[in-house]
Amino acid sequence: MAQSIYVHIPFCTQICHYCDFNKFFIQNQPVDEYLQALGKEMSLYNLNKKEMKTVFIGGGTPTALDAAQMERLLASIRENISLANDYEFTIEANPGDLTKEKLAVMKEAGVNRLSLGVQTFNEELLKKIGRAHTAEDVYRNVELAREAGFENISIDLIYSLPGQTIEDLKDTINRALELELPHFSAYSLIIEPKTVFYIMLNKGKLSLPSEDTEAYMYEYVMERMEKAGYHQYEISNFGKKGYESKHNLVYWNNEEYYGFGAGAHGYVDGVRYHNHGPLKKYMNAIGAGEKPIIDQSAVTTKEKMEEEMFLGLRKTDGVSLREFKRRFGVEMDEVFGKVISNLIAKKLLVNDDGKIKLTHQGKLIGNEVFQDFLL
């Protein structure tokens, strides 16, 4: 039973060089018509004020909307759902985009968590990766958000950026920690097809830190966060107690969620689906009274088991043998026994009190470990 929704706002005031999400430069785009279509898409699911535990508005850049557009978006979400008692309602924000007016609109609609895409505090690197904000914007926006009554604020950081040194990273982590926020995410840069960086890399114009440097950076982030009192509850996420991202845990716990908007993904009633990405196709489908789905597939039990492992192993809490048995009616060992004992022998996994978890070494090559669980 899905009790979470993801809403995609595909507009940006600037396109980042590493981003492969469905996005469009906001100028001259049919933003108002898009928001209208989004409201209609939600109504096609007959949610009837269904209670939601988590709501996440991502992008693109949701805060590229002006205050009036933000108000309309939030009103259409609230028309379709109600919020559970202990809900989490997150909006992704670009540093520099937040104004008192927008923050007041969010607060009024029940938004209680902000996720700021900071990436780095090094101004030169920010320009290099196609970000328009400055470090000063980050400080100003955090202050504005706090004044508006937001305390659950998270910052996204990216390491292993082109030309980034270990000193740069240390400086960024120190400056992030000085803000005393309750949550941080830190991801290593992945070069995705069809991005500016991908094209540059293929032309030999992108110089990236070595694999060893990247591994060192990740170890540094883990160590520094732990020292500062942040619990690493997932491969790339660190939080103070009680501030873990509830919405992202829905994904890692392999639970269902609705996905709305152009290019959004959802997982409802055992079916994973994917919406049209191009705005025209997305809006035309909704105009015709149809769900804008381009692709959907019922997830087989075998696939659910695979997902349970490679999503669940992202969490430092790991995957519970008992929970696996409860969900699938079969022992984990019967399905993955050989893979698990092989990875335990390589010191990449550990069976800790009935939970299969990544070791420190396993975290460093997580993606390789996850691949082993594809049956």
Side-chain angles (χ1 to χ4, degrees), residues 118-121 155-159 172-173 176 184-187:
V118 172
Q119 319 321 359
T120 172
F121 281 88
I155 271 184
D156 274 2
L157 300 169
I158 300 181
Y159 58 91
T172 278
I173 299 293
F184 295 97
S185 301
Y187 304 97

Side-chain angles (χ1 to χ4, degrees), residues 171-316:
D171 179 61
T172 278
I173 299 293
N174 287 335
R175 288 168 77 174
L177 288 171
E178 277 166 13
L179 291 165
E180 297 187 339
L181 299 172
H183 190 279
F184 295 97
S185 301
Y187 304 97
S188 76
L189 177 71
I190 293 171
I191 306 291
E192 302 283 6
K194 296 185 187 159
T195 59
V196 174
F197 275 169
Y198 184 78
I199 296 162
M200 286 171 71
L201 188 69
N202 282 343
K203 287 182 175 169
K205 289 184 178 169
L206 195 67
S207 135
L208 295 168
S210 70
E211 271 184 28
D212 285 351
T213 303
E214 183 180 326
Y216 179 85
M217 286 178 167
Y218 181 41
E219 296 211 52
Y220 175 78
V221 171
M222 288 193 280
E223 207 174 294
R224 191 72 184 81
M225 287 290 170
E226 194 179 333
K227 243 188 213 145
Y230 292 86
H231 167 57
Q232 182 180 19
Y233 65 100
E234 190 268 350
I235 280 188
S236 308
N237 284 271
F238 308 83
K240 294 274 187 198
K241 192 123 192 69
Y243 285 95
E244 299 83 0
S245 163
K246 291 178 186 171
H247 185 82
N248 285 334
L249 280 164
V250 167
Y251 302 145
W252 303 320
N253 288 331
N254 201 15
E255 292 165 15
E256 298 194 342
Y257 59 95
Y258 295 92
F260 300 118
H265 292 256
Y267 180 26
V268 178
D269 295 332
V271 175
R272 288 199 184 272
Y273 65 90
H274 180 194
N275 280 350
H276 281 290
L279 295 183
K280 202 167 159 47
K281 285 188 171 169
Y282 170 79
M283 296 194 303
N284 284 350
I286 291 167
E290 295 161 10
K291 290 178 181 173
I293 294 172
I294 185 173
D295 186 34
Q296 58 183 345
S297 63
V299 184
T300 65
T301 304
K302 188 183 95 170
E303 287 167 335
K304 281 180 187 167
M305 288 178 184
E306 293 173 346
E307 289 170 357
E308 187 79 9
M309 298 308 292
F310 63 70
L311 292 169
L313 281 170
R314 293 188 64 91
K315 300 175 296 175
T316 38

Side-chain angles (χ1 to χ4, degrees), residues 69-70 104-105 120 125 168 187-188 279 285 288 319:
Q69 290 166 335
M70 180 68 76
V105 164
T120 172
L125 280 176
D168 285 331
Y187 304 97
S188 76
L279 295 183
V319 185

Side-chain angles (χ1 to χ4, degrees), residues 112-164:
N112 60 5
R113 184 174 183 270
L114 296 174
S115 176
L116 290 174
V118 172
Q119 319 321 359
T120 172
F121 281 88
N122 178 318
E123 308 274 340
E124 229 172 281
L125 280 176
L126 283 169
K127 287 195 189 87
K128 221 185 232 185
I129 64 178
R131 299 294 281 175
H133 73 266
T134 62
E136 195 42 56
D137 289 331
V138 179
Y139 299 126
R140 209 180 55 249
N141 272 197
V142 167
E143 201 175 321
L144 273 180
R146 281 180 166 150
E147 281 168 13
F150 287 93
E151 60 149 343
N152 195 353
I153 303 168
S154 175
I155 271 184
D156 274 2
L157 300 169
I158 300 181
Y159 58 91
S160 197
L161 294 167
Q164 185 179 37

